[in-house]
Amino acid sequence: MTIEQLQEWQPRLFQEFHQILRSHKLAHAYLFSGSFASLEMVLMLAQSCFCEKPSNALPCQTCRACRLIASNDFTDVKRIAPTNNILKTDVVRTFLQDFYRSGFESDKQVFIIEGADKLHPNAANSLLKLIEEPQSKLHVFLLTDQETAVLPTIRSRCQIFHFPKNRDLLLKELEKTGLLKSQSQLLVDLSSDLDSAIALANSTHFRELLSACQKWVAQFLAEDPLVYLSTAKLATLANDKTEQAQILSLLTLLLGQELTSAKAQKGLEQLLQAKRMWQVNVNFQNVLEYMIFN
């Protein structure tokens, strides 16, 4: 993402960090909450630490250092992300060992942890020591979509910035792809960023899920007995917990579009309870059937 795009996607945060860079006050540890251009902001800040020809404290994005950082191939900028939904202790400790050495390219180092809420407790405690002992030439960035799931002792030692979804820009970009406005609005509500929204828009399986959810909601609101068959169809379409969560989100959004209906209002209340049941591992089809029979 270019500087200009980043400025458009997160204008307030961009201006705030630009001022930080101009003042040479980049902090030791940050927690970025929200995925809308948060990684792109981190990469820009990392580039600013090593850029060979900065302009007004901003990186050029074309020099060797900037290009290597963008391609995740710069020695003194290290990124780690969860594997199988967890950041393991040995992975974190290996990276920490590197950071106790001096930098290769300069005396600065940047450590980026994606999915910080997925840190194993032991890994989080290992990281805590690094954060508790500030080093002027080291910058640690933690990224998360679930701020409250990050260890409180880590949160308390980081400067926290929230990256809200830029709904207007996301809607505009989606409509450029040829989607109807109603489809774009649904994907804006469902997605955290443009890439995931476009991926869903291009997914045949997602379109099948959406069609099945729209049919289910129409039958549910009409109290059509055939909704029972549609429930079984929805359950078969959900291949894993991620898709089950996606279906529950779609049903929430679709019912939310019908709030003038008392049945939809009641359905949203039932859906909230159904989600709670699902979160404690009640069978997905049974969760949907709960809404029908209650």
Side-chain angles (χ1 to χ4, degrees):
M1 181 177 287
T2 66
I3 295 291
E4 292 74 18
Q5 288 172 319
L6 186 56
Q7 189 170 9
E8 182 182 13
W9 283 56
Q10 289 290 1
R12 182 186 62 80
L13 288 172
F14 179 86
Q15 291 303 322
E16 190 165 353
F17 275 107
H18 190 190
Q19 181 57 40
I20 288 171
L21 292 177
R22 285 198 298 255
S23 303
H24 305 287
K25 293 183 178 179
L26 194 63
H28 166 63
Y30 290 97
L31 177 63
F32 285 1
S33 179
S35 60
F36 200 84
S38 57
L39 177 59
E40 289 79 3
M41 184 71 79
V42 170
L43 294 177
M44 185 276 288
L45 294 173
Q47 288 172 329
S48 73
C49 293
F50 300 97
C51 182
E52 298 162 13
K53 42 183 180 179
S55 174
N56 193 21
L58 294 174
C60 68
Q61 297 194 309
T62 58
C63 70
R64 171 184 171 274
C66 285
R67 287 184 282 106
L68 288 175
I69 291 170
S71 62
N72 194 24
D73 199 27
F74 191 74
T75 308
D76 292 333
V77 176
K78 291 185 171 60
R79 288 168 53 183
I80 58 173
T83 301
N84 296 326
N85 215 34
I86 189 169
L87 273 167
K88 295 183 178 180
T89 305
D90 57 345
V91 172
V92 173
R93 285 178 176 166
T94 297
F95 275 91
L96 290 179
Q97 287 172 2
D98 290 339
F99 274 84
Y100 287 119
R101 307 186 189 104
S102 60
F104 288 92
E105 299 278 348
S106 72
D107 58 351
K108 299 177 183 177
Q109 292 173 292
V110 174
F111 191 9
I112 303 168
I113 304 174
E114 302 175 51
D117 52 285
K118 304 298 192 301
L119 280 163
H120 185 279
N122 291 338
N125 286 323
S126 296
L127 178 66
L128 186 59
K129 182 180 179 182
L130 181 72
I131 295 176
E132 286 178 329
E133 299 174 357
Q135 300 176 39
S136 60
K137 300 296 185 179
L138 171 61
H139 304 287
V140 181
F141 295 92
L142 292 86
L143 282 66
T144 180
D145 276 329
Q146 300 181 55
E147 180 184 333
T148 57
V150 178
L151 196 68
T153 48
I154 288 181
R155 293 204 310 267
S156 67
R157 288 162 175 78
C158 295
Q159 291 192 25
I160 301 176
F161 285 81
H162 296 96
F163 283 71
K165 187 188 300 184
N166 189 329
R167 299 178 62 84
D168 291 340
L169 184 142
L170 192 52
L171 184 61
K172 181 179 71 174
E173 292 296 323
L174 283 171
E175 288 180 352
K176 286 180 184 178
T177 68
L179 290 173
L180 297 175
K181 187 170 184 177
S182 59
Q183 295 172 319
S184 297
Q185 288 174 331
L186 188 65
L187 287 172
V188 166
D189 288 328
L190 197 63
S191 307
S192 59
D193 54 51
L194 180 61
D195 289 343
S196 59
I198 291 177
L200 288 178
N202 293 331
S203 167
T204 301
H205 183 61
F206 174 75
R207 290 197 294 271
E208 187 178 7
L209 280 181
L210 175 58
S211 176
C213 286
Q214 289 171 325
K215 181 178 180 180
W216 189 94
V217 168
Q219 291 175 331
F220 175 79
L221 294 177
E223 300 185 3
D224 185 341
L226 292 177
V227 71
Y228 184 80
L229 296 178
S230 295
T231 297
K233 173 71 180 298
L234 270 183
T236 61
L237 286 175
N239 297 319
D240 53 34
K241 294 285 281 188
T242 299
E243 290 183 354
Q244 291 172 8
Q246 201 169 66
I247 287 174
L248 292 173
S249 295
L250 279 170
L251 295 179
T252 301
L253 292 171
L254 292 169
L255 285 171
Q257 293 174 354
E258 306 293 337
L259 278 182
T260 54
S261 161
K263 177 67 174 176
Q265 294 171 19
K266 181 64 176 177
L268 284 171
E269 293 176 7
Q270 294 171 316
L271 185 56
L272 180 60
Q273 180 59 32
K275 285 182 178 179
R276 291 178 181 141
M277 295 164 60
W278 174 74
Q279 287 168 346
V280 294
N281 295 320
V282 175
N283 177 272
F284 184 63
Q285 183 166 337
N286 292 344
V287 162
L288 295 178
E289 289 173 352
Y290 162 83
M291 292 190 62
I292 300 172
F293 297 121
N294 287 275

